[in-house]
């Protein structure tokens, strides 16, 4: 199956310039690139669909090039934005670029073969490119009318109050010209003939193909054999079934960096995907084959409550991003609330993740010496768990209270409960009510 067919059945294909399919078929391996914004220290779930475009490009026998925009990241792309972003300094951008490269290495094969992936930084060719030189060599090839016709520019430059637009600075207006020159540079230097991206990048991408056409072969490096022709391909933006943007959780952006979004939170994000969304997500974010996915869908349809598709999706993506060990730890942690996992096996970060949404109460360690568990769960916790000793005692006698998964006895001393990590006690009241006690 070639690249376009692969993207089509996965629901990832949006549009391409005429001749792109033939170019891919007849000139393998070609080099194709996607740009990544380094204004955050990590890529996020929203970037995964474009990363997977590069993955499929490489699997189809072509060379993927990831451009980290150290120069353009200092300006900001106006596409899909209603306001100008904050600008970062070079040091911060370099740190972010290093983190992004490490994440891309989990998806792409970097070697010396004709299809080995490359990471390039456009700061390397813009840092010594003077303003006057850029205007003379590049700016003269595009008219203002051409640049203003782009949708991303029109929405912002109109200052439409209904869109929330704030107008457009010259800095952002020039962005498409800079990104277009990226394509020219990669075309010259690496013979890169394809740029890919999300559908909202169409305007910027085609600016690059137009620059290559207008600058012509005469301005390419001596001895270059490529015709002054380049191509564009865009993928679908990933949205939920209700049309809202995909990639946000209740707590905000879902990052690929474990220090920003823990592997457990990452796993849970995919595990909790809606039934209406998961058939598309598993096609986009995994490399499972069409027969494998269709078999999972058939199994899921027979017993939706088992969440077969969600579990497969969460396993595939978590393992790719965080590794097998992190996936297994996340799986074990996710089973804790359902009685199938060991609390003692959790590290502190995962324990706090698992019980992130439950009430937390701090209890002085010194107070434990002279009380039983009845007092612990009533007076010592300020009535958060039980409003009175009598109610706590009654529920314990009925077997409805557990401490760190052990049934609580009303005569049991508080000091007989072994704290998790020497600091925490998980109290369970009935089947579904959890509380986290922290000893201080």
């Amino acid at each position: 199956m070639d690249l376009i067919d692969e993207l089509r059945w996965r629901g990832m294909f949006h549009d391409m310039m005429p001749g792109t399919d033939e170019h891919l078929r007849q000139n393998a391996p070609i080099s194709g690139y996607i740009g990544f914004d380094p204004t955050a220290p990590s890529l996020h779930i929203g970037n995964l669909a474009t990363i997977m475009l590069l993955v499929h490009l490489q699997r189809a026998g072509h060379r993927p090039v990831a451009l980290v925009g150290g120069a353009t990241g200092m300006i900001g792309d106006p596409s899909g934005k209603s306001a100008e972003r904050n600008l970062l300094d070079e040091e911060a951008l370099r740190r972010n670029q290093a983190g992004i490269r490490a994440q891309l290495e989990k998806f792409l094969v970097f070697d010396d073969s004709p299809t080995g992936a490359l990471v390039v930084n456009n700061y390397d060719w813009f840092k010594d490119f003077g303003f006057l030189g850029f205007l003379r060599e590049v700016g003269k090839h595009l008219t203002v009318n051409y640049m203003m016709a782009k949708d991303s520019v029109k929405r912002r430059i109109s200052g439409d109050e209904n869109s929330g637009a704030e107008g457009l600075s010259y800095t952002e207006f020039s962005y498409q010209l800079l990104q277009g020159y990226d394509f020219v540079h990669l075309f010259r230097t690496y013979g890169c003939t394809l740029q890919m991206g999300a559908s909202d990048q169409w305007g910027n991408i085609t600016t690059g193909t137009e620059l290559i056409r207008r600058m012509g072969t005469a301005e390419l490096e001596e001895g270059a054999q490529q015709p002054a022709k380049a191509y564009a391909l865009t993928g679908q933006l990933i949205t939920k079934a209700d049309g809202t943007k995909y990639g946000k959780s209740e707590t905000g952006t879902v990052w690929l960096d474990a220090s920003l979004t823990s592997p457990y939170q990452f796993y849970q994000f995919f595990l909790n995907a809606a039934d209406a969304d998961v058939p598309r997500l598993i096609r986009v974010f995994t490399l499972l084959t069409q027969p494998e996915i269709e078999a999972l869908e058939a199994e899921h349809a027979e017993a939706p409550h088992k969440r077969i598709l969600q579990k497969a999706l969460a396993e595939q993506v978590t393992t790719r991003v965080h590794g097998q060990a992190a996936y297994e730890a996340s799986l074990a942690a996710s089973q804790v609330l359902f009685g199938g996992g060991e609390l003692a096996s959790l590290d502190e970060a995962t324990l706090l993740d698992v019980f992130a949404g439950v009430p937390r109460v701090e209890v002085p360690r010194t107070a434990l010496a002279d009380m039983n568990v009845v007092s612990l769960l009533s007076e010592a916790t300020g009535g958060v768990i039980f409003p009175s000793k009598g109610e706590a005692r009654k529920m314990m006698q009925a077997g409805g209270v557990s401490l760190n998964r052990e049934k609580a006895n009303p005569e049991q001393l508080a000091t007989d409960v072994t704290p998790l990590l020497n600091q925490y006690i998980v109290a369970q009241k009935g089947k579904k009510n959890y509380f986290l006690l922290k000893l201080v």
Side-chain angles (χ1 to χ4, degrees):
M1 188 179 297
D2 66 15
L3 176 64
I4 305 301
D5 289 339
E6 182 78 25
L7 297 181
R8 286 187 190 279
W9 84 258
R10 289 184 181 274
M12 297 173 67
F13 177 82
H14 181 262
D15 203 357
M16 63 182 172
M17 286 181 60
T20 301
D21 197 2
E22 293 80 0
H23 178 64
L24 288 164
R25 293 176 188 272
Q26 297 170 11
N27 297 283
I30 64 101
S31 293
Y33 90 97
I34 291 178
F36 293 92
D37 179 5
T39 52
S42 169
L43 298 175
H44 52 77
I45 290 297
N47 299 122
L48 268 184
T50 48
I51 294 173
M52 295 306 292
L53 287 176
L54 286 179
V55 171
H56 288 298
L57 181 74
Q58 188 171 51
R59 285 165 59 88
H62 303 289
R63 185 183 206 184
V65 179
L67 184 149
V68 179
T72 43
M74 292 181 172
I75 296 174
D77 179 6
S79 300
K81 309 293 191 305
S82 60
E84 187 162 350
R85 71 179 67 189
N86 295 327
L87 308 184
L88 300 182
D89 59 33
E90 182 186 349
E91 182 181 355
L93 288 167
R94 287 289 187 188
R95 286 197 305 270
N96 294 350
Q97 291 153 23
I100 290 170
R101 177 184 172 113
Q103 290 169 351
L104 290 173
E105 288 175 347
K106 298 176 181 179
F107 292 85
L108 302 171
V109 177
F110 288 81
D111 58 28
D112 296 328
S113 73
T115 62
L118 293 176
V119 172
V120 296
N121 179 356
N122 64 7
Y123 182 76
D124 294 335
W125 55 86
F126 275 120
K127 63 183 178 182
D128 298 320
F129 207 158
F131 180 68
L132 292 178
F134 186 78
L135 291 180
R136 284 173 58 88
E137 295 181 34
V138 183
K140 67 181 182 181
H141 292 285
L142 291 182
T143 67
V144 171
N145 289 345
Y146 176 87
M147 296 174 70
M148 289 181 66
K150 301 294 184 181
D151 287 341
S152 60
V153 172
K154 285 194 294 186
R155 283 194 298 269
R156 289 282 300 279
I157 209 166
S158 66
D160 182 0
E161 294 181 0
N162 294 328
S163 68
E166 297 181 2
L168 187 71
S169 70
Y170 175 77
T171 301
E172 285 191 300
F173 179 66
S174 67
Y175 184 93
Q176 63 171 294
L177 197 59
L178 295 174
Q179 184 172 325
Y181 183 73
D182 284 340
F183 203 172
V184 172
H185 178 85
L186 295 178
F187 183 88
R188 291 175 171 179
T189 308
Y190 300 104
C192 185
T193 54
L194 176 69
Q195 184 179 172
M196 301 189 297
S199 58
D200 61 354
Q201 287 293 309
W202 182 257
N204 288 335
I205 294 173
T206 53
T207 295
T209 64
E210 184 66 10
L211 264 181
I212 289 172
R213 186 187 71 81
R214 294 190 183 194
M215 292 180 74
T217 54
E219 297 190 27
L220 298 178
E221 294 180 351
E222 185 178 352
Q225 299 299 312
Q226 303 92 343
K229 176 69 175 175
Y231 300 87
L233 188 156
T234 55
Q236 294 278 7
L237 286 172
I238 306 303
T239 57
K240 297 180 181 179
D242 61 7
T244 59
K245 193 172 183 179
Y246 187 80
K248 299 279 187 179
S249 70
E250 292 181 0
T251 56
T253 300
V254 180
W255 302 97
L256 305 191
D257 188 322
S259 66
L260 298 174
T261 299
S262 72
Y264 172 77
Q265 293 169 331
F266 188 87
Y267 175 82
Q268 286 293 314
F269 178 77
F270 287 100
L271 189 65
N272 291 323
D275 282 345
D277 296 325
V278 72
R280 184 180 183 199
L281 301 180
I282 200 167
R283 284 165 168 76
V284 174
F285 293 145
T286 80
L287 293 177
L288 294 175
T289 65
Q290 189 169 1
E292 288 172 332
I293 291 175
E294 290 173 351
L296 287 169
E297 287 175 330
E299 188 178 357
H300 181 91
E302 292 181 0
H305 65 282
K306 293 184 178 180
R307 304 182 72 77
I308 301 297
L309 280 174
Q310 285 90 341
K311 289 177 181 178
L313 171 66
E315 176 183 359
Q316 291 285 321
V317 184
T318 305
T319 301
R320 172 63 68 94
V321 173
H322 295 296
Q324 183 67 29
Y327 158 69
E328 291 176 357
S330 299
L331 178 63
S334 71
Q335 294 172 339
V336 164
L337 291 177
F338 303 100
E342 292 293 332
L343 285 172
S345 69
L346 304 181
D347 58 34
E348 183 175 19
T350 307
L351 178 72
L352 295 178
D353 274 344
V354 170
F355 295 101
V358 309
R360 299 186 187 183
V361 185
E362 291 189 351
V363 178
R365 288 178 183 271
T366 54
L368 299 183
D370 300 319
M371 69 173 60
N372 59 20
V373 293
V374 170
S375 297
L376 173 66
L377 299 186
S378 54
E379 293 177 344
T381 56
V384 171
I385 303 176
F386 288 101
S388 68
K389 288 183 178 182
E391 188 173 333
R393 181 179 297 276
K394 181 178 180 181
M395 195 164 186
M396 285 185 199
Q397 289 172 336
V401 179
S402 296
L403 297 173
N404 292 344
R405 282 280 160 75
E406 299 290 336
K407 290 292 183 182
N409 182 325
E411 307 305 321
Q412 181 181 4
L413 296 177
T415 52
D416 289 339
V417 181
T418 303
L420 301 168
L421 303 167
N422 197 36
Q423 193 172 23
Y424 299 98
I425 297 174
V426 175
Q428 183 177 356
K429 175 183 175 182
K431 291 183 178 181
K432 297 182 179 180
N433 296 313
Y434 287 90
F435 306 83
L436 186 64
L437 281 60
K438 182 178 180 180
L439 306 182
V440 296

